[in-house]
Amino acid sequence: MSGLAETVVHTLAPGLLYPTGGAILFALGLYGLIRRHHLVLRILALNIMGSGVFMVLLGVAARGEGPPDPVAQALTLTGIVVAVSATAFALALVVHLTRLTGHAVMLPGPPDDDAPVEDISREEHHADGGPADPPPDEDRPA
Amino acid sequence: MSPPGAEWLPAGIAGLVGLSLAVAVLATAWPRQAHRVGLLGALAITAWVLGLSALFLNTGPDPEAAATRVALGGWEAPLGLMLHLDGLSMTLLVLTAVVGLATSLYSLGYVHDRIERRQFWPLWLWLWAGLNMLFLSGDAFNLYITLEVVSLSAVALVAFTGTAAAVSGAVRYLLINILGSLSFLMGVVLLFGEHGVLDLVLLEARTEAGPTERMAAVLMTAGLMLKAALFPLHVWLAPAHGSAPAPVSAVLSGLVVTGSFYLILRLWMGVFAPLATPAFGILVGMLGVAALVWGSLQALRAGRLKSIVAYSTVAQFGYLLVAFPLMLVDPGAWRVVVFFAVVHALAKASVFLAAGTLQHAAGHDRLADLGEVLRARPRTVFALGLAGVSLMGLPFTGGFIAKYLLLEAGLGTVLAGSFIGVLWVLAIAGGGLLAAAYVLRMVAPSFQRGRADAGEAVSPWMDWVPLGLATVAALAGLAGPLTLNTLALTPGAP
Amino acid sequence: MNALLVLFDLVLLAGIVGVAWRCLASTDLFRAVVLFITFGLLLALAWVRLEAPDIALAEAAIGAGITGALLLVTLERLRSIMAERRSGRPHTPPPDPAGPHALLRALHDPPPERRTFIPALTFALVVGGLLATALWHQPQSVGLEPVVDAHMDVSGVDHPVTAVLLNFRAYDTFLELAIVLIALLGAWSLGRHDLIPARPAPGPILPGTLRLLVPVAIVTGVYVLWAGSHAPGGAFQAGAILGAAGILLVLARPHQLPMAPGVPLRLGITAGVALFLLVGVYGLAAGHGFLGYAEAWAYPLIILIEVAATLSIALTLVALFVAGRPAGDDA
Amino acid sequence: MIANTLTVILILAGLVFFAAGTAGMLRFPDVYSRLHALTKADNVGLGLVVLGLMFQASGPSDILKLLLIWLLVLAAGTTAAHMVAQRTWTHGEFESDR
Amino acid sequence: MSLFYLFAALFLLGTILLGLVRVLRGPGSGDRMLAAQLFGTTGVTILLLLSLALEESALVDVALVFALLAVVAAVAFVRQHGLPEPPDTPTHRQQPESAKPKEPNDDR
């Protein structure tokens, strides 16, 4: 009987349990990214995928008896800081997109290539980086 | 006795990384003079890269001696990070320097608003530094970090115009980039979990065709195909490149997408070499044919000049996919594929710059009403045509040499008995015809009779730089042998 | 003891996956953000269980302090932009015709339609399944821990993670600082929309609490930075803590933010990267290789770089929270 | 030995308060009463646990750090409770799903 | 002894998962925010218990950071514009900004 308990405890060691959890998070984030269309939810889905990758990395580093692998921890720390800065930039872009188009939803479907393009080298481009006066886009219904 | 310059090569490599970072940091810290710092920096980086290539070439014909590995901070491979320079990365560094210098000169004229200059130049110089570091990096996790540097600065530049189309294209591009990076990182984590090493050369020695390597190969290749907009995952490219400022879309189509392709090539020649089976080659080849057909049809249908050029990027990248099966059969063919990517980058960048000049002059880039401006600006149209000719692959241009060698390799596979080879040959020849169709479509209005109105005044930079880059793209054919034997200096290549 | 640890792991992982699933499945964005904040908390507990206190510290400082506040203020900005559009202000595109409750529409995402359910589910299951099987087949490989241990005496610090971050793989850390800077440059290039909507909660409670919390946060940040050389901590955790303190100050400010000075702010955000590069180029010139230190000078140089990095990260995170180019920058 | 038993007793008492706090949060009718349950849980619950852990602490610095953590959680709890209550009082009916 | 700490930590983790019901069901945004606040405090306690269960004294620093930053989310939550403030709320005493140049509560 103790043999079975031993194998169960061995297989459920953090070195295998957390990487599996990380793989589940990665797949969950991928599913959420495909299904949901609101941009803030998609950014959350990408963050959850990133946490899944880091859980796999730290789970792999915790294998074996000795202290966990410091290189893996340094990589995870670097990854977390990169994820935060990418998320902050993505949220700033989404807010700016809502300011221009009135909605924060990235509907699938082919992009309309012939949308009017503003050229920043022209004179009437505003100095504060914003467009001269945003062309009146019709609101896409939800 | 190693050749005279050899001992300066490691310092030169690390110095290139240091210089490109120093220029970017200085431009960020001193925004008022960012454009001057950018210009001087561009000249300095280009000079440094050319000097480095001179040093690299005369370290002799033997690839083992030429390939240099520099340990950063003095820490050797398994612990520290190694910079890795060989023929492949040297060629792409020279390409980045040439296109980067041309884009920097063009941007001097294109971005002339006082405020926007301060935002544009630091981002552009970080993108250039990121590309230089990407081509020099020899460590798996370091590749992920440099890919992030390139992706974030590229997205920021795509969103630079601030219009609804540009920002929505940038958001779509950013989400796909983050997804690609995470998938690439998961592949790196799998390899690290299995082998406990991150350096590419050490990984190459330890990998065999196990389940971990297969999963890592799938994840890393899918991530990079997302970033390189290779056929099945290309949906973000047209809106992003079409709505970005002209110099940015030139760099995106020319260098950033080529950088992702370089990584796929580097991984499949090194770490994942045991996994490259003929069946995989044929699958990739079929994707290439589909990309060629779809991209060209979209280019023929698109209404705006920049959209045509963006779709032609998707199409021309179909060539690189078609060449994969050729590489599996004829080992020497990989150098031809890289040479084609180099020529395509030069030609595509000059076409985008010329399109930017036309859009600036006309105020819009709807092809239907561009007639007057096309007729009134012979220089820009000649640049457009010359680069288009190189894209098409007419004789005496770089494109011709690349396509000729590709056809040679394709026929080689047919003679070697693989019937699928006929499809590759047809695809390569047909691709040239389709390219001719949409290039002529861009240039045709200038041949018709009608009013010639030069539109807005254009700064001299914007007038002459596209022409200069187009001539370099056309003359790349003459540099064919030089490029091919530089590429030969890559150890471990088949 | 071991069985209880396994039970703790199972409950924790079930909680994490459950919170993540509900977060992505929720139609109301505010509920998704609150669930995401809880997800960050449970994740920090997971890093504690994997014996990575540095990462738990970073997850705590960044997850609880910065990502939560950033998401909540983003929702707030989306809501106030929709309010502006509804009130027909001249400079905004025409109001959304979907009716008075358009305000909440910005924070409500209708449940996705049925047809993409099957393909998305199968694709995610296939990717997850292949990934899990690949991970289960991996042999027990010993990581780089023995190699790092062998070089610890030369690295100038006692804590292995800090040694790897700032000495052995200093190039990665440098690029990471650059990425934070590029994200800020990107956010600034979008324009000068730096207003944080709405006024702070009236009444004396908020300023009183801030007078207690912000000094303690600064002292804690400096302590975590100093502890980084011999215990879990370091530049990024300290920068995130000081950044969160800055975000607290920004949130307590009235509608308009004070005119951030252009040049000092630019120098502040590039201080970390610039100093790191200077030390790197000096190392290259002095023959220790790019970003290399002489053994005797390793400790002082690492502390110097960490101080500059903390300052830069704190300033950059607060500027990313405000997410608009300060007027001073265009002067 | 005495320290261990004291710690166990105090931590068990703390757990009781946490359980009460969670139960209160789940069963109370509106936001304001739930806030009472919440703040009780962390003031007294955490206070008892911290007191219990002080007996295990090795030096005075650990004891002071535990005390500081408790004070910070007190400050955070009161501020958050005030903020949430005020927000619900002014904008509550606009933001509820009902 | 560490067995007891681990049991206590597991119990508190159970209360967090139970508390999630309030986040899912909570009718108002205030309910969800107070639940997140309770999870923050419970998280600090779990970290303190784990620091003894796993003999890792660094976890006390993690608990300190959590305790410190628990208030940031609540302040961000309150700083919300939302719909126009209903006129009859007792706290609605501010004069419009333009009339009074200085905000009373921020320059002390």
Side-chain angles (χ1 to χ4, degrees), chain B residues 12 19 35 66 104 130 207 238 250 272 277 301 323 373 419 437 452 494:
Chain B
L19 173 68
H35 53 289
S104 305
T207 48
F272 299 127
T277 61
R301 197 181 54 78
V373 176
F419 290 99

Side-chain angles (χ1 to χ4, degrees), chain E residues 50-68:
Chain E
L50 283 180
S51 72
L52 282 173
L54 306 173
E55 281 93 25
E56 177 74 58
S57 68
L59 296 187
V60 179
D61 295 346
V62 181
L64 178 64
V65 167
F66 254 114
L68 201 58

Side-chain angles (χ1 to χ4, degrees), chain A:
Chain A
M1 184 48 197
S2 75
L4 173 68
E6 198 46 52
T7 50
V8 161
V9 168
H10 168 68
T11 50
L12 295 187
L16 274 178
L17 200 59
Y18 281 92
T20 317
I24 294 171
L25 280 181
F26 189 82
L28 189 66
L30 193 61
Y31 173 77
L33 186 66
I34 298 169
R35 286 279 286 169
R36 302 313 299 267
H37 294 313
H38 198 287
L39 287 172
V40 173
L41 281 179
R42 280 187 158 175
I43 292 171
L44 291 186
L46 282 169
N47 272 338
I48 287 173
M49 279 177 81
S51 307
V53 173
F54 299 140
M55 190 178 276
V56 168
L57 179 55
L58 282 179
V60 156
R63 285 180 179 156
E65 280 58 39
D69 176 4
V71 173
Q73 291 183 9
L75 302 188
T76 316
L77 199 60
T78 310
I80 286 178
V81 175
V82 165
V84 161
S85 43
T87 306
F89 178 45
L91 289 175
L93 265 176
V94 165
V95 168
H96 198 61
L97 180 68
T98 315
R99 190 169 289 125
L100 290 173
T101 60
H103 57 76
V105 175
M106 183 64 72
L107 300 175
D112 47 3
D113 307 330
D114 303 334
V117 174
E118 241 267 352
D119 176 4
I120 58 171
S121 65
R122 301 281 297 178
E123 257 50 44
E124 70 273 10
H125 197 87
H126 262 260
D128 79 342
D133 36 21
D137 302 316
E138 82 296 344
D139 270 345
R140 285 193 228 184

Side-chain angles (χ1 to χ4, degrees), chain C residues 137 148 159 183 260 327:
Chain C
H137 287 305
V148 171
H159 188 56

Side-chain angles (χ1 to χ4, degrees), chain B residues 122-200:
Chain B
L123 283 172
W124 154 239
L125 290 170
W126 277 113
L127 176 60
W128 192 349
L131 283 168
N132 284 348
M133 292 184 286
L134 180 70
F135 293 131
L136 282 175
S137 167
D139 178 277
F141 187 79
N142 192 255
L143 284 178
Y144 161 74
I145 291 284
T146 37
L147 269 175
E148 279 291 315
V149 170
V150 168
S151 308
L152 276 183
S153 37
V155 166
L157 285 168
V158 165
F160 196 77
T161 39
T163 63
V167 174
S168 67
V171 166
R172 188 191 297 256
Y173 182 30
L174 178 63
L175 291 185
I176 285 191
N177 255 325
I178 296 179
L179 178 63
S181 298
L182 283 179
S183 152
F184 182 86
L185 182 61
M186 186 58 111
V188 169
V189 162
L190 282 177
L191 290 177
F192 181 65
E194 173 95 14
H195 303 298
V197 180
L198 280 170
D199 191 74
L200 289 180

Side-chain angles (χ1 to χ4, degrees), chain C residues 9-328:
Chain C
D9 290 344
L10 285 175
V11 171
L12 184 60
L13 276 177
I16 288 177
V17 172
V19 165
W21 169 50
R22 288 316 303 163
C23 166
L24 289 180
S26 59
T27 51
D28 170 46
L29 255 71
F30 181 79
R31 181 165 68 179
V33 165
V34 171
L35 282 170
F36 187 74
I37 293 172
T38 316
F39 174 79
L41 170 80
L42 294 177
L43 211 57
L45 295 182
W47 303 149
V48 163
R49 258 304 285 137
L50 287 167
E51 295 148 30
D54 293 71
I55 317 294
L57 200 58
E59 186 75 38
I62 289 179
I66 292 167
T67 315
L70 190 62
L71 284 166
L72 286 170
V73 168
T74 302
L75 291 193
E76 183 37 46
R77 284 181 176 136
L78 295 183
R79 207 196 305 237
S80 67
I81 287 170
M82 300 302 282
E84 262 172 39
R85 291 169 60 81
R86 197 166 68 84
S87 62
R89 293 261 178 81
H91 289 305
T92 54
D96 169 39
H101 281 293
L103 283 184
L104 299 179
R105 200 175 61 76
L107 301 183
H108 180 85
D109 185 40
E113 65 280 1
R114 306 301 304 168
R115 65 180 171 75
T116 63
F117 175 70
I118 304 296
L121 187 67
T122 44
F123 180 62
L125 284 178
V126 163
V127 168
L130 286 176
L131 204 53
T133 44
L135 285 165
W136 278 72
H137 287 305
Q138 283 193 343
Q140 294 283 42
S141 82
V142 177
L144 289 169
E145 206 275 332
V147 182
V148 171
D149 238 4
H151 293 76
M152 273 310 287
D153 47 3
V154 181
S155 71
V157 284
D158 315 336
H159 188 56
V161 176
T162 313
V164 170
L165 268 176
L166 282 158
N167 202 337
F168 303 141
R169 296 184 73 96
Y171 186 49
D172 274 350
T173 313
F174 177 85
L175 289 183
E176 175 198 331
L177 286 174
I179 285 175
V180 177
L181 186 60
I182 292 171
L184 179 62
L185 291 178
W188 276 3
S189 73
L190 290 176
R192 225 192 353 250
H193 314 283
D194 58 359
L195 300 181
I196 293 195
R199 289 176 299 286
I205 296 282
L206 186 57
T209 316
L210 286 192
R211 233 174 283 113
L212 167 71
L213 280 185
V214 171
V216 174
I218 292 172
V219 168
T220 314
V222 172
Y223 159 71
V224 165
L225 169 63
W226 184 256
S229 59
H230 55 276
F236 301 106
Q237 295 89 338
I241 293 169
L242 296 181
I247 286 174
L248 261 180
L249 285 176
V250 164
L251 281 173
R253 295 293 306 167
H255 209 66
Q256 279 79 23
L257 286 174
M259 164 87 138
V263 173
L265 184 61
R266 277 273 180 168
L267 293 181
I269 56 174
T270 43
V273 170
L275 192 78
F276 210 149
L277 187 63
L278 272 179
V279 169
V281 169
Y282 171 74
L284 176 63
H288 311 303
F290 186 62
L291 292 178
Y293 322 111
E295 194 191 323
W297 281 87
Y299 181 67
L301 281 178
I302 285 181
I303 290 294
L304 190 66
I305 290 173
E306 281 208 308
V307 167
T310 305
L311 169 70
S312 288
I313 286 177
L315 277 174
T316 315
L317 287 176
V318 174
L320 269 173
F321 179 78
V322 172
R325 194 173 59 239

